[in-house]
Amino acid sequence: MPTLAPSIIASDPGRFAACADEALGAGVEWLHVDVMDGHFVPNITIGPDVVEALRPVADEHGAQLDVHLMIEEPQQYVDAFAEAGADNLTVHVEACTHLHRAAQRIRAAGCNVGVALNPATPLGHLDGILPFVDLVLVMSVNPGFSGQSYIPESTAKVQRVRRQLNALGSSAHLEVDGGVAPNNAMELIRAGADVLVAGSAVFGGDQPVAQNIEALRNALTLKV
Ligand code: DX5
Ligand code: ZN
């Protein structure tokens, strides 16, 4: 079964811990935490303190905190997010002049190394870094907000990253983030993703969170 990573910023900002508990209580293994600085992306969300507050909730459920840094100069904040309890730390290739150094820093801080690509960023930007990463995150919307529509061209990009990872013999995770919902989840897994981030598909709408997670799971199991 692929890993689901509910994106906590899509939940109620006044109740992050309770919403995280609800999603993790439905059995998902990762919680996705979107960090935005108002510079790299046109939105400001959360910092290390919130990651620290979510750590015990994740621990209660044996879950991982998957921290996605949409910030400029992310290397400056690696230690702060590692100390706050991040398991995976993902930086954007577009935000790092010295991407390899940022990756080394994440590894040295004791976290799994993730690199993310914006929709318009060519895959060639991964060439030098792929052997060093534990996770590749393909953005399937322009980062900044939950609730945007999936960019259909992302599926082909996921396929191409999957081929590159396979050619390297890499066991890195391939994660897709943005507009993931029951209607495209299976397509993404077939394309080679193994981790699906979902914000509004989990925390949006009027249905209980557990029911939304169930709908995603059903989309992934029925047609396998
Ligand atoms: C977008 C964030 C996503 C977002 C996903 O910039 O990186 O993680 O919260 O939300 P949905 O699934 O609603 O697109
Ligand atoms: Zn994200």
Side-chain angles (χ1 to χ4, degrees):
M1 187 61 160
T3 299
L4 291 176
S7 167
I8 196 67
I9 63 158
S11 73
D12 177 350
R15 300 175 55 249
F16 277 158
C19 294
D21 188 55
E22 209 178 347
L24 296 175
V28 299
E29 299 112 338
W30 290 18
L31 187 72
H32 187 78
V33 184
D34 288 304
V35 176
M36 306 187 188
D37 67 352
H39 293 276
F40 182 71
V41 289
N43 193 10
I44 300 176
T45 54
I46 65 185
D49 289 353
V50 175
V51 173
E52 196 174 342
L54 292 171
R55 182 69 262 173
V57 184
D59 284 341
E60 259 173 54
H61 296 280
Q64 291 200 30
L65 288 181
D66 180 43
V67 177
H68 178 192
L69 299 181
M70 285 159 281
I71 63 177
E72 286 181 2
E73 311 225 25
Q75 60 281 358
Q76 290 190 18
Y77 298 93
V78 162
D79 291 346
F81 282 101
E83 281 161 25
D87 293 295
N88 306 331
L89 262 186
T90 296
V91 295
H92 270 260
V93 301
E94 304 87 358
C96 296
T97 309
H98 300 288
L99 183 57
H100 188 270
R101 180 177 287 151
Q104 284 177 313
R105 189 139 185 189
I106 294 170
R107 178 90 57 220
C111 297
N112 299 315
V113 178
V115 291
L117 283 179
N118 281 336
T121 303
L123 286 192
H125 286 250
L126 290 178
D127 283 352
I129 203 70
L130 225 40
F132 301 97
V133 304
D134 303 302
L135 181 156
V136 176
L137 186 160
V138 172
M139 285 303 312
S140 44
V141 298
N142 291 295
F145 304 93
S146 296
Q148 302 181 79
S149 299
Y150 179 78
I151 297 172
E153 289 73 18
S154 311
T155 307
K157 201 169 185 182
V158 171
Q159 283 172 334
R160 282 154 59 216
V161 177
R162 172 49 64 203
R163 279 200 287 271
Q164 290 191 17
L165 289 172
N166 289 350
L168 281 173
S170 169
S171 56
H173 291 292
L174 177 44
E175 180 173 31
V176 185
D177 185 4
V180 174
N183 69 328
N184 59 16
M186 195 58 192
E187 164 185 324
L188 289 165
I189 297 306
R190 288 207 172 110
D194 70 318
V195 183
L196 300 179
V197 177
S200 38
V202 168
F203 294 109
D206 298 328
Q207 318 247 76
V209 163
Q211 205 170 316
N212 290 337
I213 289 172
E214 195 55 29
L216 279 162
R217 284 210 184 102
N218 286 340
L220 292 170
T221 45
L222 288 178
K223 294 169 260 171
V224 174

